[in-house]
């Protein structure tokens, strides 16, 4: 390939606050249209914004978590444009003086790690929402979102394919979740991404003309949109054409991007300092007080999981995916120290069931101690791994203790030799043809015998013992037909 791809991402993350950024209106999701508005967020003349300090705290916190420098001075700016969902005719955003700059996020992609630069993190207000459905005679505007606090996180153009872009977004989303800065719920639009893509001859350093793909809100669509766009631009360059700098939209239905408008430049927005808000002076004491609230971050937790629990880095990656998942895992391992086995249960059956219901692990009926108890029962040979799966399903549905389920349904593993002997003898007596074949060399039939014993015992027979007994009985005994 004579070309290489350059991708830079702008993410808008909704800050997890009770009230909006410049007024006291609620940020609750799903309220009836325009029920969470006031003169300030409706942009009525004569109103003044009052800054929500929690949003600044969150911006500093995310800046620290992404290894940014925190600026001692920051200032809001007006970004002017006209659109029906923007009642003031400008958005209060930030321009020359963002609070956080020059950070980094580590990503791992196909087993290789890479550092992606964070250019800046700043605060701004969200706009409202135009609704085009259900209005026969035009469109409606819902301003519940107007004034919702956002952080804009701008990456350096450091990613070179769609997979890396997705890895970056996942890593950033994890940091947002861990720090509690945002719930980063993509379905609610609380984590949205604009992707900037360009292509250049491999080995050159100048950036090519870029397309900006707007408002992507699922990892799958981001990946698809980028892959499409990379192909499109490469084809243009291969034909000797030129990519035009523009804003494009991705169509989920058609899987293609198409031109939306020519890309606006910063000067089109007539940025100027926001006169209704005082500049921010962020002193060391403020920064230090926020630093104290930083939790163990995903990278550090992953490294600790690998070192402490001796699990593969893949497992550590999955198990630290959300704070709730990591907490569940650690509590379960604390109750029964089989880190690999407990991890396997979580990563396999458990996450599968949770995902199919769109649930987080802390919404599940199973408690960490109960999973630990299940693994302990397998470990001691009280139940077989196979039966454990059935028990787990019931635990998931009812939240019952595994011991109670085993008791109620009589699922304990049969490892009593005399009881197993009887079953084995009966199976052998009932299958003279197979016994003959086995003894004349068709040893593959062992599987058939084991299967029969399992059938008779409802899968509860101890597999090793069944094998031992069968081998013994099938060996030298003279054949009586
Ligand atoms: P704007 O404010 O117009 O969106 P910025 O210069 O702030 O533009 O860049 C926004 C994003 O675009 C950043 O994430 C940056 O890394 C990325 N970017 C800028 N130029 C390119 C380019 N030529 N190719 C790919 N990404 C780019
Ligand atoms: Mg942009
Ligand atoms: Zn309001």
């Amino acid at each position: 390939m004579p070309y290489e791809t350059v991708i830079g991402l702008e993410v808008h993350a909704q800050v997890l606050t009770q009230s909006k950024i410049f007024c006291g209106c609620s940020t609750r999701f799903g309220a009836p249209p325009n029920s969470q508005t006031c003169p300030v967020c409706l942009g009525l003349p004569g109103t003044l914004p009052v800054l929500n300090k929690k949003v600044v705290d969150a911006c500093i916190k995310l800046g620290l978590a992404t290894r940014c420098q925190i600026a001692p001075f920051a200032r809001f700016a007006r970004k002017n444009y006209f659109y029906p969902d923007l009642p003031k005719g400008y958005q209060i955003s930030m321009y020359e003086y963002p609070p956080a700059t020059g950070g980094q996020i580590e990503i791992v992609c196909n087993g290789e790690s890479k550092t992606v630069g964070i250019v800046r993190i700043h605060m701004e207000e969200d706009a409202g929402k135009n609704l085009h459905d259900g209005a026969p005679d035009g469109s409606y505007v819902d301003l519940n979102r107007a004034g919702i606090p956002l952080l804009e996180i701008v990456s350096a153009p450091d990613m070179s394919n769609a997979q890396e872009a997705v890895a970056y977004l996942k890593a950033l989303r994890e940091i947002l979740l861990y720090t509690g800065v945002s719930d980063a719920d993509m379905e609610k639009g609380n984590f949205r991404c604009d992707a900037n893509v360009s292509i250049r001859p491999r080995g050159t350093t100048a950036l090519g003309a870029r397309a900006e793909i707007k408002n992507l809100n699922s990892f799958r669509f981001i990946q698809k949109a980028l892959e499409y766009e990379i192909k499109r631009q490469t084809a243009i360059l291969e034909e000797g054409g030129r990519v035009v700098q523009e804003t494009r939209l991705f169509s989920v239905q058609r899987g293609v991007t198409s031109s939306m408008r020519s890309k606006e430049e910063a000067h089109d927005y007539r940025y100027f300092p926001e006169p209704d808000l005082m500049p921010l002076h962020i002193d060391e004491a403020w920064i230090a007080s926020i630093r104290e609230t930083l939790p163990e971050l995903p990278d550090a937790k992953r490294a600790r999981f690998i070192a402490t629990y001796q699990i593969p880095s893949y497992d550590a990656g999955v198990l630290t995916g959300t704070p709730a998942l990591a907490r569940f895992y650690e509590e379960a391992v604390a109750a029964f120290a089989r880190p690999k086995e407990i991890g396997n249960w979580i990563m396999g059956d458990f996450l599968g069931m949770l995902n199919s219901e769109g649930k987080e692990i802390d919404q599940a009926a199973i408690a960490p101690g109960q999973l630990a108890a299940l693994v302990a029962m397998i470990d001691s040979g009280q139940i077989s791994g196979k039966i454990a799966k059935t028990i787990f399903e019931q635990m998931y549905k009812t939240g019952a203790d595994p011991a109670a389920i085993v008791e109620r349904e009589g699922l304990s593993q049969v490892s009593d030799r005399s009881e197993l002997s009887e079953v084995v003898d009966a199976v052998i007596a009932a299958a003279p043809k197979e016994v003959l074949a086995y003894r004349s060399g068709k040893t593959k039939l062992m599987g058939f015998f084991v299967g029969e014993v399992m059938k008779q015992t409802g899968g509860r027979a101890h597999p090793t013992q069944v094998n031992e007994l069968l081998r013994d009985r099938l060996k030298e005994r003279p054949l009586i037909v």
Side-chain angles (χ1 to χ4, degrees):
M1 253 281 278
Y3 297 105
E4 64 186 10
T5 303
V6 176
I7 300 170
L9 302 171
E10 293 160 273
V11 168
H12 288 97
Q14 176 170 338
V15 184
L16 207 53
T17 55
Q18 303 275 319
S19 55
K20 294 186 178 180
I21 183 170
F22 300 124
C23 62
C25 290
S26 168
T27 56
R28 200 167 53 83
F29 182 82
N34 298 307
S35 62
Q36 294 175 169
T37 55
C38 72
V40 173
C41 55
L42 290 173
L44 301 190
T47 56
L48 288 171
V50 177
L51 177 60
N52 181 344
K53 177 167 176 287
K54 289 258 164 64
V55 182
V56 191
D57 288 345
C59 187
I60 297 171
K61 194 170 188 183
L62 184 63
L64 291 173
T66 55
R67 312 208 289 259
C68 283
Q69 264 89 264
I70 307 301
F73 177 89
R75 191 170 70 190
F76 286 95
R78 286 190 184 178
K79 180 177 181 179
N80 299 281
Y81 64 91
F82 174 77
Y83 205 62
D85 66 9
L86 189 72
K88 294 194 298 293
Y90 61 85
Q91 177 193 31
I92 304 182
S93 179
M94 303 184 101
Y95 188 55
E96 306 120 297
Y97 296 105
T101 57
Q104 282 147 12
I105 291 182
E106 290 317 317
I107 63 167
V108 180
C109 196
N110 292 327
E112 292 197 17
S113 10
K114 179 170 187 173
T115 305
V116 175
I118 300 296
V119 177
R120 57 186 277 150
I121 302 174
H122 73 242
M123 300 171 265
E124 63 185 28
E125 58 179 342
D126 205 350
K129 199 171 177 191
N130 292 339
L131 305 168
H132 307 292
D133 292 337
D137 47 354
S139 294
Y140 292 128
V141 183
D142 175 8
L143 293 174
N144 282 350
R145 271 205 99 89
I148 292 275
L150 302 178
L151 295 182
E152 177 169 327
I153 303 112
V154 182
S155 88
D158 284 346
M159 285 142 287
S160 30
N161 55 54
Q163 272 178 311
E164 282 184 9
V166 170
Y168 163 81
L169 291 169
K170 287 188 172 166
L172 171 59
R173 187 165 177 276
E174 270 182 19
I175 295 173
L176 287 163
L177 291 174
Y178 269 67
T179 50
V181 161
S182 174
D183 68 7
D185 188 331
M186 298 177 87
E187 275 171 25
K188 292 184 182 149
N190 299 350
F191 184 93
R192 326 190 281 263
C193 167
D194 299 342
N196 295 269
V197 198
S198 63
I199 303 285
R200 66 184 171 198
R202 189 167 286 283
T204 59
T205 52
L207 291 170
R210 71 177 140 140
E212 179 176 27
I213 313 168
K214 278 279 174 203
N215 256 330
L216 299 160
N217 67 350
S218 100
F219 292 128
R220 202 158 53 87
F221 296 154
I222 290 163
Q223 170 117 12
K224 280 194 167 174
L226 285 171
E227 280 166 359
Y228 176 86
E229 186 58 23
I230 293 164
K231 264 199 214 130
R232 186 187 71 88
Q233 293 187 18
T234 307
I236 293 177
L237 292 190
E238 274 170 353
E239 284 165 16
R242 276 184 50 202
V243 174
V244 281
Q245 173 151 330
E246 64 184 350
T247 302
R248 297 178 72 85
L249 272 187
F250 177 67
S251 155
V252 172
Q253 285 81 29
R254 293 183 298 135
V256 303
T257 65
S258 52
S259 182
M260 180 168 123
R261 57 171 188 249
S262 69
K263 166 90 184 129
E264 61 292 316
E265 303 284 343
H267 63 245
D268 294 331
Y269 289 119
R270 299 286 186 265
Y271 278 102
F272 65 87
E274 169 59 61
D276 288 343
L277 287 163
M278 298 295 281
L280 291 165
H281 293 278
I282 306 170
D283 61 16
E284 282 304 323
W286 190 355
I287 298 170
S289 74
I290 303 266
R291 202 188 294 278
E292 268 172 26
T293 68
L294 277 182
E296 181 182 34
L297 292 168
D299 279 345
K301 202 183 277 295
R302 251 188 303 280
R304 184 170 62 78
F305 273 29
I306 295 169
T308 314
Y309 301 124
Q310 306 280 308
I311 52 173
S313 77
Y314 173 81
D315 297 24
V318 176
L319 296 169
T320 55
T322 65
L325 196 51
R327 207 177 314 121
F328 190 104
Y329 175 71
E330 291 211 274
E331 280 176 29
V333 175
F336 187 65
R338 284 285 184 284
K340 179 63 187 153
E341 285 75 9
I342 288 176
N344 286 348
W345 275 96
I346 295 179
M347 295 190 298
D349 295 43
F350 204 177
L351 279 184
M353 293 177 190
L354 290 167
N355 286 344
S356 72
E357 289 188 298
K359 266 194 189 163
E360 261 283 358
I361 201 160
D362 47 6
Q363 298 170 293
I366 301 182
Q370 292 177 313
L371 176 59
L374 180 72
V375 175
M377 289 167 88
I378 306 167
D379 199 69
S380 68
Q382 197 189 336
I383 52 171
S384 70
K386 207 164 160 197
I387 293 272
K389 287 197 177 259
T390 323
I391 298 173
F392 185 82
E393 269 171 40
Q394 298 206 29
M395 290 165 68
Y396 185 83
K397 280 193 204 122
T398 63
D401 278 333
I405 298 170
V406 167
E407 173 88 9
R408 195 172 60 218
E409 321 236 328
L411 293 173
S412 256
Q413 191 149 262
V414 182
S415 47
D416 174 43
R417 280 233 163 211
S418 61
E419 198 182 335
L420 279 182
S421 278
E422 275 175 35
V423 180
V424 166
D425 288 343
V427 164
I428 287 180
K433 260 199 285 180
E434 284 78 4
V435 172
L436 191 59
Y438 179 89
R439 288 186 176 150
S440 54
K442 277 191 84 178
T443 51
K444 274 196 190 142
L445 279 167
M446 182 56 100
F448 159 79
F449 291 111
V450 173
E452 287 299 301
V453 174
M454 286 299 176
K455 230 187 269 172
Q456 304 272 330
T457 57
R460 289 159 47 230
H462 196 291
T464 335
Q465 299 205 8
V466 172
N467 270 286
E468 271 171 30
L469 283 169
L470 277 169
R471 233 174 290 126
D472 175 64
R473 296 290 200 286
L474 287 165
K475 218 172 10 190
E476 72 291 318
R477 210 152 303 183
L479 182 60
I480 311 148
V481 195

